[in-house]
Amino acid sequence: MEEKSENKVNTKIFSVIETKTENLDQIYQEASNIIKQGGLVAFPTETVYGLGANGLDKKAAAKIYTAKGRPSDNPLILHIAEIKQLEKIVKQIPEDAEKLMERYWPGPLTIIFEKTDLVPYETTGGLETVAVRMPDHTAARRLIQESGVPIAAPSANTSGRPSPTSASHVAEDLFGKVDLILDGGSVGIGLESTIVDVTVMPPVILRPGYITQEMLRETLKKEIFLDTALIQGAAKDIKPKAPGMKYRHYAPKAELIIVEGLPEKTAEKIQELAAEKTAEGKRVGIIGTKELQKYYQTGLVKIIGTREQEETIAQNLYRILREFDEAQVDIIYSESFSEKNFGQAIMNRLVKAAGNKVIKLSKNLSKNKEKKN
Ligand code: TXA
Ligand code: MG
């Protein structure tokens, strides 16, 4: 209908990969002009792609919510390129924050501060605090610098879908809704930044990420815990302190079930379940590691990475969830991974994607004694 097509934006996509592009200056000029004029630019960061707008302009921030279909109580992260931008948007910089910034910025760490009046409530979802991050990615930094304002940017996916780790994922969700997509290729980390709240004592991790609990403990020389609402099995009435963590994010269209136990036993169980479902006429997907690949003979098998290098698992998780959507499988079984270090973030996203559906195999029982239901 006509009204609808009037609302459609003519989305441009430009590569900002240096070896592939000659007119970079022109591209960044066009991108930063869009931000200055209140438009939307999707851009790569080291974690996932962001959907950017001028974070100090309430109308621009509101456009982000519309494009993503995001609930308006879910605040945005402000991305900065230089420390002097921080002083204008936060009331104070606690000592712990200073230590974290010094050690991890630019990088995949978001810090919660008390906001100044310059930051509109449209950006913070009505909160008195603001989330800030200095990304470690040339394209992100150049876009922020040339725009001259902090850029509010949630992950550049439709609300509820897996976060985008490539420009084609962004286009899948937001083509016709954003003015420009900067294509920087596949991202390096693949999971969203760690979020730490330093407005409380002691600081709390609101979302685990590449900067791990151990790393934060070591830098701050004190205990630092995960927001209790994020711990597996937490009571349902405890609300997460990062509003976004309460939504069923990262969800694939098919039912996703995680099988947890000793690696080989897990693989045997997954193969057994996959064969059962296939016999029932279901299309089955399997998320497995290279080490256990040989166990899987049924369904659509996707190798997510290797257990020896958990980074590979993080890098491929969201892409694989999207690929399963496309393949229209009915049910997906996934191996589970160690929750140590970066594994905490990987399992946090995977369990969320599965809507908490985990089959726990008892470590002492052989597969034949495993209780079925
Ligand atoms: O890696 C990342 O952080 C990516 C890239 C683009 O930088 N961004 C990202 O943004 O993941 P988003 O909007 O998808 O996630 C932001 C999270 C949400 O869970 C939100 O609720 C939380 O940060 N958040 C933002 N401001 C907050 C605040 N003032 N207090 C508590 N949580 C906040
Ligand atoms: Mg997100």
Side-chain angles (χ1 to χ4, degrees):
M1 276 178 27
E2 269 196 17
E3 249 179 68
K4 268 197 178 152
S5 60
E6 266 175 39
N7 290 336
K8 253 196 150 189
V9 179
N10 176 19
T11 303
K12 292 183 184 174
I13 304 179
F14 295 142
S15 171
V16 286
I17 298 172
E18 286 179 24
T19 49
K20 285 193 190 163
T21 319
E22 277 169 13
N23 53 342
L24 275 178
D25 291 351
Q26 211 180 315
I27 290 172
Y28 284 110
Q29 194 174 21
E30 183 163 346
S32 56
N33 279 339
I34 293 172
I35 296 285
K36 286 181 206 162
Q37 287 158 15
L40 299 180
V41 177
F43 60 96
T45 81
E46 76 278 36
T47 56
V48 298
Y49 273 73
L51 171 58
N54 179 351
L56 304 183
D57 172 348
K58 49 182 153 185
K59 276 199 195 141
K63 281 189 193 169
I64 291 180
Y65 289 91
T66 309
K68 276 184 66 96
R70 179 176 175 114
S72 61
D73 68 342
N74 190 2
L76 309 173
I77 296 174
L78 283 186
H79 295 66
I80 59 172
E82 288 157 32
I83 294 290
K84 68 171 193 264
Q85 288 181 295
L86 184 68
E87 287 151 13
K88 296 190 187 142
I89 56 178
V90 310
K91 271 196 186 147
Q92 53 184 359
I93 304 176
E95 208 184 308
D96 282 343
E98 242 164 69
K99 287 183 194 156
L100 295 176
M101 286 153 49
E102 176 145 329
R103 177 71 183 79
Y104 300 111
W105 278 8
L109 180 72
T110 296
I111 305 176
I112 310 283
F113 297 91
E114 283 177 45
K115 79 172 194 75
T116 60
D117 292 341
L118 203 61
V119 183
Y121 288 115
E122 281 73 6
T123 297
T124 67
L127 297 176
E128 293 300 335
T129 52
V130 61
V132 187
R133 162 163 128 77
M134 186 188 283
D136 184 16
H137 191 289
T138 323
R141 289 173 67 91
R142 188 156 172 197
L143 177 67
I144 301 163
Q145 253 152 5
E146 295 196 20
S147 302
V149 288
I151 295 189
S155 47
N157 51 296
T158 299
S159 207
R161 292 214 72 203
S163 293
T165 55
S166 73
S168 62
H169 297 163
V170 178
E172 253 172 53
D173 287 9
L174 298 175
F175 197 85
K177 296 181 176 172
V178 299
D179 299 293
L180 175 62
I181 299 171
L182 298 178
D183 180 356
S186 289
V187 299
I189 294 177
L191 296 184
E192 306 84 347
S193 61
T194 307
I195 305 180
V196 181
D197 187 354
V198 293
T199 66
V200 291
M201 270 299 192
V204 182
I205 301 171
L206 305 189
R207 179 173 73 182
Y210 186 75
I211 308 296
T212 64
Q213 188 171 9
E214 270 314 302
M215 289 157 82
L216 296 170
R217 272 183 188 153
E218 218 176 277
T219 307
L220 295 180
K221 308 257 181 298
K222 62 171 82 153
E223 271 302 345
I224 169 162
F225 293 105
L226 211 58
D227 179 6
T228 43
L230 303 185
I231 294 164
Q232 254 198 74
K236 293 215 164 41
D237 54 354
I238 307 179
K239 276 208 186 103
K241 295 195 179 68
M245 297 300 278
K246 72 174 181 271
Y247 297 105
R248 189 185 168 217
H249 251 239
Y250 326 115
K253 289 177 189 149
E255 185 179 18
L256 168 62
I257 298 172
I258 302 165
V259 182
E260 194 180 284
L262 295 173
E264 284 74 18
K265 295 275 178 264
T266 300
E268 282 171 3
K269 185 72 182 173
I270 289 176
Q271 172 56 31
E272 181 190 318
L273 291 166
E276 267 175 33
K277 291 287 173 190
T278 306
E280 287 170 19
K282 296 257 164 58
R283 292 168 64 90
V284 181
I286 293 177
I287 300 178
T289 49
K290 199 166 147 240
E291 287 81 357
L292 301 175
Q293 187 168 9
K294 59 175 186 286
Y295 286 86
Y296 307 126
Q297 268 113 41
T298 319
L300 182 55
V301 181
K302 302 235 176 227
I303 299 306
I304 191 168
T306 151
R307 286 178 177 270
E308 279 169 18
Q309 235 190 322
E310 55 196 357
E311 285 86 354
T312 56
I313 294 170
Q315 263 165 5
N316 294 315
L317 176 62
Y318 289 149
R319 174 181 57 78
I320 286 180
L321 293 179
R322 278 177 183 263
E323 284 173 2
F324 276 131
D325 280 352
E326 215 161 288
Q328 296 186 324
V329 294
D330 302 305
I331 187 159
I332 307 166
Y333 294 104
S334 174
E335 290 176 24
S336 75
F337 309 102
S338 154
E339 296 213 29
K340 282 201 195 113
N341 302 320
F342 189 25
Q344 188 176 53
I346 296 170
M347 285 307 289
N348 169 267
R349 307 306 195 277
L350 189 62
V351 169
K352 249 164 108 55
N356 289 307
K357 279 183 233 118
V358 183
I359 297 178
K360 292 191 177 161
L361 304 180
S362 160
K363 290 190 175 156
N364 302 321
L365 296 178
S366 78
K367 74 168 174 159
N368 296 330
K369 287 189 193 155
E370 182 52 40
K371 212 173 129 195
K372 255 198 202 168
N373 88 4

